Amino acid sequence: ANVNRLRQIAPIKIVIVSGNHDQAKMLYFGDTLESWFHNYTDVAIDNSPKLRKYEHYGTSLLGLAHGDKEKMIDYPMLMAHEAKQLFAQSQYYEWHLGHIHTERQRTRTISDTVDTSTVNGVVIRHVPSLSAADAWHYSKGFVHNPRAAQGFLWHHDTGLAGIHAYHYWGEKLRAAA
């Protein structure tokens, strides 16, 4: 339903990036989305098996990965080597990673907490997850992270223009708010 609402504004591209706990589920989810939207000209699904994917917009290059396999220090050169042409065309570089269970550099802003590092001119951002804690998270004690998502607004020429935060508080809390 949300994809159909977004289609009314602009063409949609969904990039599937599997995690370390849900590789098969994400592949099946991507296959389902590809099947559902296969006749739509304004919806593209990237369900390729690559662990690291790249999106280019204007002067910005965005890398997407789960982030559990690589070292932080390696991300800038991985981007430069794996996406050479796009890297050369870009002025702003950023990675979005999903795998983080401990705090790194955390900066409090007026609207939200931002978890970023900059390595050799490349911003590496750890994005939150909407998924609830499962058995593995409980076994490791990762049970108190808030469920959240972030939306990023990119300007064609000047890079990142804004971040929108969404926090999921659960149905009971949401109904009471």
Side-chain angles (χ1 to χ4, degrees):
N2 289 333
V3 172
N4 285 323
R5 287 192 349 220
L6 291 171
R7 289 179 52 235
Q8 296 172 9
I9 300 167
I12 304 298
K13 182 167 186 184
I14 299 171
V15 180
I16 305 296
V17 178
S18 66
N20 58 330
H21 304 287
D22 64 357
Q23 290 158 339
K25 287 180 189 174
M26 289 306 292
L27 175 67
Y28 302 145
F29 177 66
D31 282 344
T32 300
L33 287 175
E34 285 177 323
S35 297
W36 186 265
F37 292 107
H38 78 278
N39 285 330
Y40 289 66
T41 59
D42 57 349
V43 178
I45 311 293
D46 179 353
N47 194 34
S48 65
K50 293 180 181 176
L51 295 178
R52 292 176 299 280
K53 298 181 180 182
Y54 300 93
E55 290 298 318
H56 185 256
Y57 178 71
T59 57
S60 300
L61 179 58
L62 178 64
L64 304 165
H66 183 65
D68 64 316
K69 304 212 179 332
E70 307 85 357
K71 295 177 186 169
M72 280 261 286
I73 195 75
D74 293 338
Y75 281 107
M77 289 305 292
L78 284 168
M79 179 179 275
H81 285 295
E82 292 178 344
K84 287 179 180 153
Q85 299 283 28
L86 298 175
F87 194 87
Q89 298 169 16
S90 303
Q91 188 175 359
Y92 304 100
Y93 312 95
E94 189 160 319
W95 276 98
H96 288 196
L97 309 175
H99 179 78
I100 188 75
H101 298 290
T102 59
E103 288 189 15
R104 298 218 182 196
Q105 176 184 340
R106 296 189 75 85
T107 307
R108 188 79 177 149
T109 66
I110 292 172
S111 63
D112 201 5
T113 301
V114 179
D115 189 354
T116 61
S117 298
T118 302
V119 179
N120 294 324
V122 177
V123 174
I124 301 172
R125 187 180 307 278
H126 297 276
V127 296
S129 173
L130 283 169
S131 63
D134 59 13
W136 184 88
H137 289 92
Y138 277 103
S139 74
K140 298 295 183 182
F142 303 132
V143 295
H144 297 293
N145 289 342
R147 294 169 69 179
Q150 294 174 334
F152 297 86
L153 177 64
W154 296 89
H155 186 278
H156 187 271
D157 300 322
T158 59
L160 183 62
I163 302 173
H164 178 76
Y166 170 79
H167 297 274
Y168 176 77
W169 301 106
E171 293 305 318
K172 291 179 183 177
L173 289 174
R174 188 178 193 145

